[in-house]
Amino acid sequence: STSDATAAAIAHEISQPLGAITLNCAAALDLLKTTPPDVEEVRACLTDTMHDSDRANEIVESVRGLFKPTAQHKTMIEMNSIVRQVLKMVENDLHVHGVTVSTEFQEDLPQIMADRTQLQQVILNLIKNAIEAMATGRTAIKTLRLVTTQDGNSVVSLSVQDSGPGINPENGTQVFDPFFTTKSSGTGLGLAISRKIIEDHGGDLRLTKTGSIGCTFEITLPI
């Protein structure tokens, strides 16, 4: 079941930093037995232990975020203005990684009822993922394309399209699984929590396209 798989993933994720903490503590204790004790090596072991402890705490906090019912403060908001705000937040990241942004905002979009902070977090997560994908993928042309549209009379959508290396087709269905990640750092909970937030809003978050020329995530929210 999904809950069994999630529990197994949590146990696996937590066991890694805890195992490293045990090894570093054992090494530090051995180093203290030497005469004179190798203080610098002990300090290095303790520093590593602190980092691993922080990593374990990060995982625990992410798990809380996945399972706790989130208190929502919904107001009527405009999708285009939220996306513009998030783009301002990542201006520096875009500049550092040489990413060009193109936006196609449908004007006069109807407002949606949503929690501004949560929606910002979801969009920020998708954009940061896109930037990372293009940065690590050695893509020559780095383009982030953001499109807002009104689909029919009932839905507003935002698509986030990157020109990164794409997601392997076999991983396409797994990207929303808790702890699935192709990154060397991070807990892999970003997309799982993002989808949960959007579903709590009565909407949907999907990977609509992936290939060697990038991938597209789409948020749809009811009007």
Side-chain angles (χ1 to χ4, degrees), residues 106-124:
Q106 182 177 323
E107 296 306 322
D108 304 322
L109 277 181
Q111 292 194 326
I112 50 175
M113 180 66 82
D115 182 306
R116 176 180 292 275
T117 306
Q118 288 186 350
L119 189 53
Q120 268 184 346
Q121 285 301 316
V122 171
I123 297 168
L124 182 64

Side-chain angles (χ1 to χ4, degrees), residues 85-101:
Q85 283 168 2
V86 175
L87 280 174
K88 280 200 173 71
M89 293 160 78
V90 293
E91 248 174 19
N92 189 52
D93 278 359
L94 293 165
H95 177 69
V96 166
H97 293 292
V99 176
T100 306
V101 180

Side-chain angles (χ1 to χ4, degrees), residues 79 112 119 122 126 147 149-151 154-160 194-195 197-206 208 217-223:
M79 179 69 92
I112 50 175
L119 189 53
V122 171
L126 291 178
V147 183
T149 53
Q150 179 182 353
D151 301 339
S154 58
V155 171
V156 164
S157 71
L158 164 70
S159 70
V160 179
S194 293
R195 173 176 263 184
I197 288 169
I198 296 299
E199 286 177 348
D200 286 349
H201 278 74
D204 199 8
L205 170 58
R206 293 174 301 141
T208 55
F217 284 89
E218 185 179 58
I219 297 168
T220 55
L221 287 164
I223 296 165

